[in-house]
Amino acid sequence: RRKKNSTSSSSSSSSLGHRLGGHVALYDYDTTAEAWRRKDIEGSLFILRRSSHPKFQMLILNKKSATNYSEDVLGGFEFENAPPYLLYRNERDEVFGVWFYDQGECARLEGILQKIVKENSSGEAATAAAHATAPSSSRGQAGAAAGGGGGDFWDQPASLPAGYDPL
């Protein structure tokens, strides 16, 4: 579910956040007009890993207003790297484009989203298997998928901007 929220959100329970875009701008695709429209949202892009559902969110700290943008990264999340844009379709079949000032950050986000989508897929399978066997096994399998190894992206410390409290 895409949410617009102010700088603090009572539903946010992020445990880890990583800045991926120093400066991005958001566009949406109008399917009836077959045209891209620039949204009034631009700023720094973060990927949040949460302890509650949805496990992952993409967040843009909007420099143009006090309303930030967040998009849940769920199982139906589809994306394509078309530098300097990362295009994505959410579960509601809405199409958005994130423009990156730095194309390297666009490629980095693509790699991270690939890991998240893979984890979401394996997490859904693990959850189904856990319901058939033991409830505690799905959490371990999802954690192992997220951990990956010593050099994994999620092993790096979070770096949120000064003055931002995600809780």
Side-chain angles (χ1 to χ4, degrees), residues 2-160:
R2 179 175 51 113
K3 300 173 199 159
K4 288 186 177 180
N5 55 23
S6 60
T7 53
S8 69
S9 169
S10 60
S11 66
S12 177
S13 59
S14 62
S15 59
L16 204 52
H18 292 280
R19 186 177 76 133
L20 293 174
H23 187 78
V24 301
L26 187 68
Y27 291 78
D28 71 343
Y29 187 71
D30 183 344
T31 55
T32 55
E34 296 185 355
W36 289 97
R37 294 180 303 194
R38 186 171 179 158
K39 307 283 283 177
D40 199 28
I41 298 170
E42 62 181 70
S44 296
L45 183 140
F46 293 82
I47 292 291
L48 303 178
R49 182 179 201 176
R50 300 163 35 98
S51 59
S52 63
H53 185 77
K55 189 166 184 181
F56 296 99
Q57 281 187 321
M58 186 167 44
L59 172 72
I60 298 175
L61 292 180
N62 195 1
K63 293 180 180 180
K64 294 189 135 197
S65 76
T67 303
N68 297 320
Y69 174 86
S70 67
E71 179 76 56
D72 297 343
V73 182
L74 302 168
F77 193 87
E78 300 174 14
F79 62 93
E80 177 183 335
N81 188 0
Y85 297 92
L86 186 112
L87 310 175
Y88 70 90
R89 180 184 312 268
N90 61 22
E91 285 195 326
R92 293 174 312 284
D93 212 29
E94 299 168 315
V95 179
F96 293 90
V98 180
W99 172 85
F100 286 81
Y101 175 78
D102 180 343
Q103 290 186 31
E105 292 171 344
C106 184
R108 186 169 174 224
L109 178 60
E110 176 190 27
I112 291 164
L113 288 174
Q114 286 172 345
K115 287 182 181 182
I116 290 172
V117 168
K118 182 178 179 182
E119 180 176 331
N120 280 342
S121 298
S122 66
E124 290 168 5
T127 301
H131 288 306
T133 58
S136 61
S137 65
S138 67
R139 184 178 179 103
Q141 290 173 357
D152 194 284
F153 173 80
W154 294 112
D155 294 334
Q156 300 172 15
S159 59
L160 294 175

